Amino acid sequence: MPHPPGGGGSESNPPARGTYMEGRVTSYSGTTLVIDITTTVGSGTWTFWWIATQSATTVLNDYNNGAGNNNGATPLIKVSQSQAGSTEIAGIHFVANPTSSSAMVGLGTNAYIVPKTLIRDCWFSTGNGSGSAAIFAATNQGLVWNCSFDDTFSQIALGLQFKWEDSIGRSSWSANSTMGAEDTNGATNFYIENCDFHAYLNATDFDSDSRVVFRHNILDNSGMASHGADTGPIGLRHVELYDNELVFDNFGDCDGHVTLPVNWFFWQRGGTSVIMDNILPAISSCAWGNKSNVTFSVLNIRRNTGGYPCWTQYPAPHQVGQGYGPGAVSHSYYSGANYGRLDYHTYLEPAYIWGNSGTGGNRVGLNAESDDPCGNNQLLTYYVQAGRDYKLEAKPGYQKYTYPHPLTTSRPSPPLTPSATPSSPQNVLKKKEKRKKTKHQKSQKTSANEMTKRLAPNSD
């Protein structure tokens, strides 16, 4: 991991990815994982460990598309969805090189509903000096499962970004919710399940028009975020976060040279959500203070940016707790070159938070900006209120969609290669029983040559 004892900064020196072990899991019980080690590279005592499945193929992303950190620009691998059928990507380790400037996989579509793109049993290593995302989706038609995502806590790279701002995607904000069992055949929402994410400030960015189900995943010292109609024109439509586990390690270092600055489990800036049955510890440390697990913002009340700048009347367009349904009221917003393009609806559709366990549980906070270039003195507490825009109770009538997603059961995992030789020094040790969904591996003072590691309990 990026911060060994005595390390510091956003990347250790030497890089943690240069120290790894390879082997086969021989047993897993309670909080103990035993690995038969066949290969080791590097040495020393490390604070963090993670595990992932070694893929037969490694792809180094050295592609510079000239667009900087715009993940929506030309990706390394582009998938153009159509009614012709599903594209499937499986069994590949993608590694970001420092010079890469492109998402590793980019998804786009020519229709609102098409066959899903399937991404499984892959390993995405972002960071390394690059801000590019692992997966960019301008679509809600995707299914990602049994994948590992790791970063160097670069604080700029994302595991997955969802941003669908063309005329097809815009219809997401003028259509009823498809959360839970309302996605009757699992075709409308984007699903991420049975994956693990390591050392991300934000493992996800749920942005314009996205409808996402994020479930049965591990967030190892990683958070998630979203966008509203503030820096962009539309923002998140809805997201479901359930049966996930957040692992946060507080190592007691008050200077932050080991403990990572995890800021939240989920930062929601627009739309609606259900957040339930997750294992959420208190995000609290001497180095970084006390954080809320779920935090809400409405940023365009104090930002002169986006489609609806310097907003002054509740509700703000597409803000937290807004959606679409019977009785939605249509509004036209007139703003220069955006005349007629940024019409919106108001419809109260609260976020629901319940059933989360752990020392952090259902802890909620508001993230208000202190700067006010708009000068209107708008207060976040006027726009986001408990009991109205979000509720700490079960969503009436809500039922989770079938788990696992039916499309995962007909595709077996690719065979593993015993004692595989790593193709590059970026291959951090790795081996994981995906079907059993083993968890985050860590030991505060653990040698790279030890065979037994401590694991967080299995929450499946």
Side-chain angles (χ1 to χ4, degrees):
M1 288 286 273
H3 287 213
S10 62
E11 177 63 272
S12 61
N13 186 20
R17 285 174 173 168
T19 302
Y20 60 91
M21 301 182 295
E22 289 185 321
R24 183 172 295 277
V25 173
T26 60
S27 67
Y28 172 63
S29 177
T31 59
T32 299
L33 175 75
V34 179
I35 306 175
D36 181 11
I37 301 299
T38 59
T39 304
T40 66
V41 174
S43 63
T45 299
W46 297 82
T47 305
F48 300 87
W49 291 92
W50 68 66
I51 54 178
T53 300
Q54 174 70 359
S55 302
T57 301
T58 298
V59 174
L60 301 180
N61 182 12
D62 200 22
Y63 175 49
N64 188 335
N65 60 15
N69 291 329
N70 178 10
N71 292 313
T74 307
L76 179 68
I77 296 176
K78 182 178 181 179
V79 178
S80 298
Q81 298 176 329
S82 72
Q83 301 297 339
S86 295
T87 297
E88 185 168 347
I89 301 173
I92 301 175
H93 183 193
F94 293 89
V95 180
N97 274 358
T99 55
S100 66
S101 177
S102 70
M104 297 171 180
V105 178
L107 312 180
T109 185
N110 62 6
Y112 192 72
I113 300 292
V114 294
K116 289 188 183 299
T117 298
L118 309 176
I119 303 175
R120 62 179 177 88
D121 300 292
C122 288
W123 174 13
F124 298 89
S125 295
T126 59
N128 285 335
S130 169
S132 299
I135 299 173
F136 177 87
T139 176
N140 286 324
Q141 301 310 311
L143 172 59
V144 178
W145 79 99
N146 282 5
C147 289
S148 292
F149 299 77
D150 63 76
D151 191 51
T152 58
F153 213 83
S154 63
Q155 304 189 56
I156 53 174
L158 297 165
L160 301 105
Q161 183 176 18
F162 305 86
K163 193 179 183 73
W164 193 12
E165 294 180 345
D166 61 19
S167 58
I168 301 172
R170 253 178 240 134
S171 59
S172 178
W173 261 100
S174 57
N176 291 347
S177 165
T178 51
M179 289 196 288
E182 292 175 347
D183 190 8
T184 53
N185 57 3
T188 305
N189 303 329
F190 197 115
Y191 290 79
I192 305 106
E193 57 191 46
N194 284 32
C195 294
D196 46 274
F197 300 82
H198 310 267
Y200 282 92
L201 176 67
N202 291 309
T204 64
D205 179 10
F206 307 117
D207 202 341
S208 296
D209 293 311
S210 57
R211 297 177 177 226
V212 184
V213 181
F214 187 93
R215 59 186 185 172
H216 295 267
N217 302 302
I218 288 293
L219 290 162
D220 170 15
N221 291 277
S222 300
M224 293 183 290
S226 66
H227 274 77
D230 37 53
T231 52
I234 306 171
L236 163 71
R237 175 60 178 91
H238 59 63
V239 66
E240 301 164 67
L241 312 176
Y242 58 82
D243 295 322
N244 304 292
E245 181 174 358
L246 170 66
V247 176
F248 173 68
D249 290 310
N250 173 17
F251 291 101
D253 54 309
C254 292
D255 61 358
H257 76 281
V258 179
T259 301
L260 293 177
V262 178
N263 282 331
W264 43 67
F265 167 63
F266 179 48
W267 182 19
Q268 185 170 347
R269 291 163 55 174
T272 189
S273 61
V274 293
I275 304 171
M276 60 177 293
D277 295 345
N278 302 288
I279 301 174
L280 304 179
I283 307 173
S284 178
S285 66
C286 175
W288 308 110
N290 301 318
K291 311 293 184 180
S292 299
N293 275 292
V294 179
T295 185
F296 296 118
S297 295
V298 181
L299 297 183
N300 59 336
I301 60 176
R302 291 196 171 205
R303 284 192 183 185
N304 191 16
T305 60
Y308 310 92
C310 296
W311 198 262
T312 59
Q313 183 178 356
Y314 174 85
H318 301 171
Q319 72 153 73
V320 171
Q322 288 290 300
Y324 183 87
V329 179
S330 178
H331 302 267
S332 291
Y333 181 64
Y334 306 94
S335 178
N338 291 321
Y339 179 87
R341 291 184 58 237
L342 293 174
D343 295 352
Y344 67 98
H345 297 85
T346 52
Y347 180 82
L348 185 62
E349 193 171 3
Y352 286 87
I353 304 169
W354 78 98
N356 299 292
S357 61
T359 53
N362 298 319
R363 183 179 296 176
V364 172
L366 301 184
N367 186 5
E369 293 189 311
S370 56
D371 292 341
D372 187 11
C374 295
N376 296 320
N377 196 32
Q378 294 295 291
L379 301 178
L380 180 58
T381 52
Y382 176 67
Y383 289 84
V384 181
Q385 297 179 6
R388 182 189 67 186
D389 307 289
Y390 72 92
K391 299 185 178 184
L392 299 179
E393 61 186 60
K395 181 177 175 66
Y398 178 82
Q399 294 182 339
K400 299 173 183 176
Y401 180 68
T402 304
Y403 170 81
H405 194 287
L407 290 177
T408 69
T409 58
S410 60
R411 280 141 175 106
S413 297
L416 300 177
T417 303
S419 304
T421 300
S423 58
S424 80
Q426 266 114 7
N427 292 335
V428 194
L429 148 88
K430 321 256 182 184
K431 200 53 82 171
K432 173 166 59 179
E433 288 183 311
K434 286 287 189 176
R435 293 192 181 279
K436 193 167 186 177
K437 191 53 189 165
T438 58
K439 300 304 185 195
H440 169 69
Q441 176 182 359
K442 65 171 90 58
S443 177
Q444 185 164 356
K445 293 291 183 180
T446 306
S447 166
N449 294 317
E450 289 184 62
M451 300 300 181
T452 304
K453 302 292 175 291
R454 304 300 296 174
L455 289 177
N458 192 326
S459 68
D460 281 354

